[in-house]
Amino acid sequence: MLPSTAAKIYPTAAALAPLTAQWREAGQRIVFTNGCFDILHLGHVDYLERARALGDKLVVGLNTDASVQAQQKGPERPLQDEVSRARVLAALAFVDAVVLFGDRTPLDLIGLLRPHILVKGDDYLGRHIAGADSVLADGGQVLTVPLVTGYSTTRIVGKIKASL
């Protein structure tokens, strides 16, 4: 039986750290990724599924509403509040934990959770990935996975606006 979605959501890295430490001690490879995940779409599902396939446990760092607004994705963003976004992510069977973070980047979160693998989409090729130095210094890997072309929340929002 799968855990309830609420049981997979952690309000802070400190709340999740004991569980990731247990996974680490049990020899399980922890994969970490992060994002806003405002409107969950095929691109997100494919990306998260590919990330999870790289290890035994997938932790998703979820930007809080305030941190999404600070990224200036648009005045209407996020479209869904952080509680809603966290519940939707936690409902995915291949997501083992969702942890909220309010900083601009997940650097501190990654340092505390110590994942074995840090994953971002291939749109980050050639760009610095926050937390990469920490993961590499700890003997881990930083990987990018291919994104499904044509899927993004910004694009979906644009299509909706154009149809009004």
Side-chain angles (χ1 to χ4, degrees), residues 25-107:
E25 289 171 20
Q28 295 178 310
R29 291 180 52 83
I30 302 164
V31 179
F32 177 89
T33 193
N34 66 282
C36 171
F37 302 101
D38 205 357
I39 299 176
L40 196 64
H41 53 70
L42 174 64
H44 289 139
V45 172
D46 185 79
Y47 167 74
L48 293 169
E49 197 170 37
R50 287 174 186 260
R52 174 59 165 77
L54 297 170
D56 302 306
K57 298 291 183 179
L58 176 61
V59 175
V60 178
L62 182 66
N63 291 88
T64 61
D65 293 346
S67 69
V68 172
Q69 291 164 355
Q71 291 179 28
Q72 300 178 346
K73 290 181 175 258
E76 74 280 354
R77 302 283 300 276
L79 298 167
Q80 299 186 86
D81 63 78
E82 62 198 45
V83 173
S84 299
R85 293 182 288 119
R87 289 283 307 273
V88 169
L89 283 171
L92 298 172
F94 45 82
V95 171
D96 297 289
V98 177
V99 59
L100 296 165
F101 73 98
D103 297 329
R104 183 160 163 65
T105 73
L107 183 62

